[in-house]
Amino acid sequence: MSLANALTAEWEAAKPDLFINPRHASRAYGPREAAVLDEAGFSEAQRHIHAWDGYRPTPLHDLAGLAGELGIAALAYKDEGGRFGLGSFKALGGAYAVERLVEAHGPGITVTCATDGNHGRSVAWGAERFGCRCVIYIHKHVSEGRRAAIEAFGAEVRRVDGTYDDSVRQAAADAAREGWTVVSDTSYPGYVDIPRLVMQGYGVMIDEALDQIDRAPTHIFIQGGVGGLAAAACFRSWSRYGADRPRLVIVEPVLAACIIATARAGRLTPVAIGEETIMAGLSCGEASLVAMEILDGGSFAFMTVPDSAATGCMRLLARGTGRDAPVTAGESAVAGLAGAIAFLAEPDKAAAIGLDATSRILVFGSEGATDPALYEKIVGHPPRD
Ligand SMILES: Cc1ncc(COP(=O)(O)O)c(C=O)c1O
């Protein structure tokens, strides 16, 4: 199978990592996890978000052609490209937290955050929608296209001459001085409540997908930045299917693999970001504290993929395979799919996580072409829609 062989060559060249989780728990969703994300909080998020103007579930594509080529029973791709015109699932998280903060404290607040692009877009959109001031921090690698998209929602954007972590520190320092509220998608000791709201918002997308799918998936491959998205997927699937939940594999870029480092060490373990990954939304050096509370026992395995596997998957989806229609996927959207393909190309690895001809895999295309110029450079033509 040519596609998988190509990705496997890249996999070997980039020395990717695989870690089967020794703490994977074969039990029902428990109190440790429910202290982070629970049913009541999820219902509240669902009630709010379902009432937003323009809300409708994003499509779930049945990639039957690719599933056939990969030798599995089914491959479903949740396509977040059309989410509220923002282009990613992130629309559900930051904006939901802003809504709840404005409800609690009134429109006089100023919300702020650091961002690689998508989270800041969501916070800015939420601030415009729910009526409060917004200041967003970006680092030196964030493209001008992503900056413009945030400014379009009326937010003030400040560029910090440094990395993502530098922009996080700047946002925190300015917020402390000015009395602003930091709406972060990641959590650390002493800062947990707002990231929990953000993750509850993501859960709305996960439930949509699990409602749209014919039969429960056997495996979910999902990309990780700080782990909030993966934790939301773990929560919803664990809570819905109990001990028989799908096996969850977290996929990170080789160049920003903080979740696998944390899982292996059993405690928060930051990694230095040297070269920036093309998967901008996943370029994080430190996992989210509360997300790891859920992933610690919830995920089955952790792995990394090289940037070239992501660009390969973007082109593959843009072309369409066999009877599958073309799909527009951004750089951070396809890491989960790349991970699944890389596994399936190696029988030993596939067997280690129980992948076989009967497997039904669910992946989350977490963004469309959120940076159209970059998309065109990678795929060779502009985004279709
Ligand atoms: C498109 C996209 N996918 C996935 C992620 C990863 O989400 P998390 O950082 O919660 O792991 C992000 C984060 O910004 C993103 O923008």
Side-chain angles (χ1 to χ4, degrees), residues 17-19 21 249-250 259-260 263 295 299-304:
D17 209 354
L18 169 65
F19 179 59
N21 186 7
V249 181
I250 319 296
I259 299 176
I260 196 169
L295 297 178
S299 35
F300 194 83
F302 302 85
M303 68 183 293
T304 60

Side-chain angles (χ1 to χ4, degrees), residues 119-180:
H119 175 65
R121 200 179 295 196
S122 176
V123 171
W125 179 71
E128 185 182 61
R129 188 167 259 233
F130 302 110
C132 68
R133 184 174 168 233
C134 179
V135 182
I136 302 290
Y137 292 79
I138 55 175
H139 59 85
K140 71 173 175 192
H141 298 290
V142 175
S143 71
E144 277 303 305
R146 293 202 155 107
R147 175 195 193 113
I150 297 168
E151 281 174 340
F153 297 117
E156 181 189 334
V157 179
R158 297 186 183 175
R159 190 184 283 279
V160 172
D161 184 24
T163 63
Y164 173 74
D165 294 329
D166 294 323
S167 62
V168 170
R169 276 188 283 276
Q170 190 66 50
D174 290 2
R177 197 181 56 247
E178 305 285 348
W180 299 342

